[in-house]
């Protein structure tokens, strides 16, 4: 799914109005009906509802929602803020529609002596003051209303965007003047701001509402941001022929583990095998031999010359992929071995964990990385690699610049893991849950990526599919056992069901 910026919203709406065709008022009604349906599914008719509407089209949406709720038996109190006495045409028409209804409690606020209604924890506030058209921080009376709502215990449903929140960059915004929504019902596609951790307290839970924007304009309008869903991943999945041989699914080399960190190698190897790699070899310190051979008997073990850490990696055969980093430590000899490996490998390369820490200590290695090498840092690893960033948006911009400069793929791990390509395309993952914030989860992802690359997925296909599968397996594990219960092993154990989920939905 494409993610469009808020300055493109009007173009998408206008095209839909002209080519469906549909009137702008009817398009607003369509959006309001979808919002109303979602509210009715969550809040009962006896819920006290307060609707705050602004003078623009977001306010028109809110007024239409208020009318539809009233028609369904709710009794909303409606406040339209119109200090400039200048409503948008559709907002004005929805005001007139409300005026024709009986027993509607409606107040139009045009002066600064507004006495706000009492809000308590059982109140539902419908926030329709400002949406995607806002470009400057809220101030004055609107800021006061936002602060009043936020100080209450009321539940808040924001229409399209929480009032005061910009759709993209909020680094210059005033945080105290942004609605803190319980639920944001956004139209057609997520806003970039929803995917950034610094905005989580404003957005709350969010859900996409399909309002029927014309498919042609969605298809033909370019976007560099995307929100990954199952329909984008299914076409990548490869079918296995009846007479396939293990060699058809590639041989993955995983360089992982050291004394006290052999578990990282075990998890990566298991994940690669359960993702479908035909063969997996693990190069690790000698001390890992009994652990690996017992825990993952399907994997081949290549013992390093040293008992406690990796000192050299002598590639004697052609591997489909080489994944390096889980649990290897940052010993000086290990660093030299990784540098040598980077220089000599002709296979696709995945760098994670301690390989990234070594890379941060030797930034000159970046120019030596093969094209389309996949780096999988979490936030702290990224900042060690490329310098501290003041917020998530700045970090994403830095990731895009870096991916283009070095022609690599960066998998920036987080709640909505971002995959950044050398072409400066940005993909946010839609799967995963907080239960996956557990030791070894990243090692499992490294193994998944290795398993896909061994099966001849392109690096981009592997990055997108691997991140999605990893999150989906975590979601299935959470559904079966609860988020708190999940370990990295549970994620790996649910990879088969994740594959089945994708395949069954496509059949």
């Amino acid at each position: 799914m494409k993610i469009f910026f808020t300055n493109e919203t009007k173009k998408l709406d206008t095209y839909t109005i002209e080519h469906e065709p549909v009137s702008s008022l009817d398009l607003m009604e369509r959006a309001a009906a979808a919002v109303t349906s979602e509210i009715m599914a969550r809040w009962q008719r006896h819920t006290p509802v307060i609707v705050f509407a602004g003078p623009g089209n977001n306010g028109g949406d809110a007024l239409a929602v208020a009318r539809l709720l009233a028609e369904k038996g709710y009794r909303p109190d409606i406040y339209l803020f119109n200090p400039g006495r200048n409503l948008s045409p559709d907002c004005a028409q929805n005001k007139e529609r409300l005026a024709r209804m009986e027993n509607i409690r409606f107040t139009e606020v045009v002066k600064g002596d507004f006495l706000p209604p009492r809000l308590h924890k059982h109140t539902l506030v419908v926030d329709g003051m400002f949406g995607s058209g806002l470009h400057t921080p809220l101030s004055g009376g609107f800021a006061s209303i936002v602060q009043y709502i936020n100080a209450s215990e009321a539940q808040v449903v924001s229409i399209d965007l929480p009032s005061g929140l910009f759709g993209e960059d909020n680094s210059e915004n005033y945080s105290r003047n942004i609605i803190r929504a319980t639920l944001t019902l956004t139209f057609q596609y997520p806003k970039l701001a929803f995917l950034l951790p610094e905005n989580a307290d404003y957005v709350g839970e969010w859900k996409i509402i399909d309002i029927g924007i014309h498919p042609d304009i969605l298809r033909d309008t370019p976007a560099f941001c995307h929100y990954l869903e199952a329909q984008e991943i299914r076409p990548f999945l490869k079918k296995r022929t009846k007479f396939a041989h293990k060699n058809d699914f590639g041989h993955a080399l995983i360089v992982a583990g050291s004394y006290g960190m052999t578990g990282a190698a075990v998890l990566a190897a298991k994940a690669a095998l359960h993702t479908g790699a035909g063969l997996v070899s693990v190069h690790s310190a000698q001390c890992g031999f009994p652990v690996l051979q017992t825990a993952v008997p399907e994997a081949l073990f290549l013992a390093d010359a040293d008992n406690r850490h990796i000192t050299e990696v002598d590639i004697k055969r052609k591997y489909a992929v080489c994944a390096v980093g889980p649990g290897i430590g940052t010993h000086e000899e290990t660093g030299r071995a990784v540098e040598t490996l980077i220089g000599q490998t002709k296979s696709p390369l995945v760098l994670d964990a301690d390989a990234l820490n070594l890379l941060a200590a030797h930034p000159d290695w970046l120019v030596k990385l093969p094209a389309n090498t996949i780096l999988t840092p979490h936030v702290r690893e990224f900042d060690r690699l490329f310098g501290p960033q003041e917020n998530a948006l700045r970090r994403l911009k830095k990731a895009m610049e870096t991916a283009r400069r070095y022609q690599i793929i960066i998998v920036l791990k987080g709640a909505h893991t971002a995959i950044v390509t050398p072409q400066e395309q940005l993909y946010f993952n839609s799967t995963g849950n907080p239960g996956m914030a557990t030791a070894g989860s990243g090692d499992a992802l490294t193994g998944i990526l290795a398993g896909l690359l061994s099966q001849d997925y392109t690096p981009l296909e592997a990055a997108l599919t691997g991140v999605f599968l990893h999150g989906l397996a975590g979601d299935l594990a959470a559904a079966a056992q609860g988020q708190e219960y999940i370990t990295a092993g549970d994620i790996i154990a649910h990879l088969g069901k994740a594959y089945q989920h994708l395949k069954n939905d496509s059949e």
Side-chain angles (χ1 to χ4, degrees):
M1 175 187 294
K2 292 177 180 178
I3 300 174
F4 299 102
F5 281 14
T6 49
N7 61 7
E8 297 177 290
T9 300
K10 186 174 182 179
K11 179 181 77 171
L12 303 179
D13 289 349
T14 299
Y15 186 95
T16 302
I17 290 165
E18 293 176 353
H19 291 81
E20 185 171 337
V22 61
S23 71
S24 60
L25 192 63
D26 285 343
L27 185 61
M28 182 174 286
E29 189 76 3
R30 185 187 299 171
V35 171
T36 302
S37 177
E38 191 65 32
I39 290 174
M40 292 180 62
R42 297 177 185 236
W43 285 275
Q44 296 180 342
R45 285 178 174 81
H46 59 74
T47 304
V49 178
I50 307 293
V51 178
F52 291 121
N57 280 351
N58 194 251
D61 292 329
L63 295 181
V65 168
R67 172 172 44 80
L68 294 174
L69 286 173
E71 289 174 354
K72 296 296 184 180
Y74 293 79
R75 298 198 64 197
D77 288 302
I78 307 154
Y79 296 86
L80 171 61
F81 298 98
N82 185 22
R85 300 178 185 272
N86 183 27
L87 301 178
S88 73
D90 288 346
C91 185
Q93 289 197 56
N94 271 298
K95 174 189 168 183
E96 292 176 8
R97 287 181 173 183
L98 270 174
R100 292 195 291 268
M101 297 185 70
E102 296 182 356
N103 300 319
I104 287 293
R105 295 177 292 194
F106 174 80
T107 302
E108 185 169 5
V109 181
V110 294
K111 296 181 180 179
D113 55 355
F114 165 64
L115 182 64
R118 181 174 174 268
L119 306 178
H120 52 78
K121 65 180 180 180
H122 300 298
T123 304
L124 172 63
V125 170
V126 177
D127 161 38
M129 289 183 287
F130 292 95
S132 60
L134 186 70
H135 303 294
T136 58
L138 293 183
S139 59
F142 285 110
S144 297
I145 289 297
V146 166
Q147 292 168 23
Y148 176 73
I149 294 170
N150 287 344
S152 75
E153 296 182 281
Q155 300 176 83
V156 181
V157 173
S158 288
I159 298 175
D160 202 30
L161 278 161
S163 290
L165 185 72
F166 305 148
E168 290 80 40
D169 187 356
N170 285 273
S171 58
E172 303 297 325
N173 207 343
Y174 301 150
S175 59
R176 66 194 302 263
N177 296 345
I178 303 172
I179 283 286
R180 294 178 180 267
T182 309
L183 170 67
T184 299
L185 299 174
T186 195
F187 298 143
Q188 205 66 44
Y189 50 86
K191 310 305 183 279
L192 177 60
F194 297 179
L195 305 170
L196 307 178
E198 55 260 34
N199 300 322
D201 289 343
Y202 311 127
V203 179
E205 177 192 351
W206 57 270
K207 183 174 181 178
I208 299 170
I209 300 292
D210 187 350
I211 62 170
I213 296 298
H214 201 290
D216 289 353
I217 192 66
L218 295 177
R219 182 194 64 228
D220 296 339
T221 302
F224 72 87
C225 291
H226 310 264
Y227 186 62
L228 279 181
E229 295 186 301
Q231 58 263 34
E232 282 90 38
I233 301 301
R234 290 188 190 110
F236 297 148
L237 298 182
K238 297 181 182 294
K239 293 185 178 180
R240 297 193 165 205
T241 63
K242 182 179 180 65
F243 296 99
H245 185 272
K246 63 185 177 184
N247 290 327
D248 296 331
F249 306 116
H251 191 165
L253 173 64
I254 296 176
V255 181
S258 59
Y259 183 81
M261 295 292 290
T262 307
V266 169
L267 291 169
K270 279 188 173 182
L273 287 162
H274 283 290
T275 306
L279 292 162
V280 173
S281 289
V282 178
H283 182 105
S284 192
Q286 291 178 18
C287 63
F289 175 75
V291 178
L292 262 297
Q293 289 291 271
T294 302
V296 199
E298 303 91 343
L300 303 172
F301 187 84
L302 305 176
D304 195 89
D306 194 272
N307 184 55
R308 298 176 67 88
H309 60 263
I310 293 169
T311 61
E312 60 180 356
V313 183
D314 187 11
I315 298 180
K316 295 180 179 179
R317 64 167 69 195
K318 181 180 171 77
Y319 294 99
V321 57
C322 183
V324 186
I328 63 175
T330 56
H331 194 281
E332 183 178 350
E333 288 183 306
T334 304
R336 288 197 294 268
V338 171
E339 181 182 18
T340 300
L341 176 61
I342 290 172
Q344 70 176 230
T345 185
K346 305 299 181 186
S347 306
L349 195 60
V350 180
L351 299 183
D352 180 37
D354 285 324
L356 299 177
N357 293 329
L358 288 166
L359 187 61
H362 301 87
D364 55 300
W365 294 359
L366 282 165
V367 296
K368 303 176 183 179
L369 296 177
N372 292 308
T373 290
I374 301 175
L375 272 57
T376 63
H378 55 59
V379 169
R380 291 188 300 278
E381 288 168 338
F382 182 92
D383 285 0
R384 283 197 291 271
L385 276 163
F386 306 116
Q389 306 299 315
E390 60 183 289
N391 57 44
L393 186 61
R394 296 288 185 268
R395 191 171 292 110
L396 287 170
K397 290 180 178 178
K398 182 66 174 179
M400 293 172 70
E401 295 168 4
T402 304
R404 175 182 52 78
R405 178 178 179 184
Y406 296 107
Q407 292 296 291
I408 58 177
I409 295 171
I410 297 176
V411 175
L412 184 54
K413 294 182 289 194
H416 293 286
T417 291
I419 301 96
V420 187
T421 77
Q423 294 75 35
E424 297 187 281
Q425 292 289 301
L426 180 58
Y427 298 85
F428 291 95
N429 189 35
S430 64
T431 60
N433 63 83
M436 298 175 69
T438 184
S441 181
D443 303 325
L445 177 60
T446 297
I448 291 169
L449 295 173
L452 293 168
L453 286 166
S454 75
Q455 297 171 76
D456 205 29
Y457 284 73
T458 68
L460 179 57
E461 290 172 347
L464 300 179
T465 305
V467 168
F468 190 90
L469 275 174
H470 180 252
L472 180 56
D475 287 342
L476 293 169
Q481 300 161 314
Q483 291 183 8
E484 293 80 3
Y485 184 86
I486 297 175
T487 66
D490 297 314
I491 297 171
I492 295 168
H494 282 81
L495 281 170
K497 289 185 178 179
Y499 267 122
Q500 287 179 332
H501 183 86
L502 276 174
K503 292 177 180 179
N504 290 343
D505 280 359
S506 65
E507 294 173 353

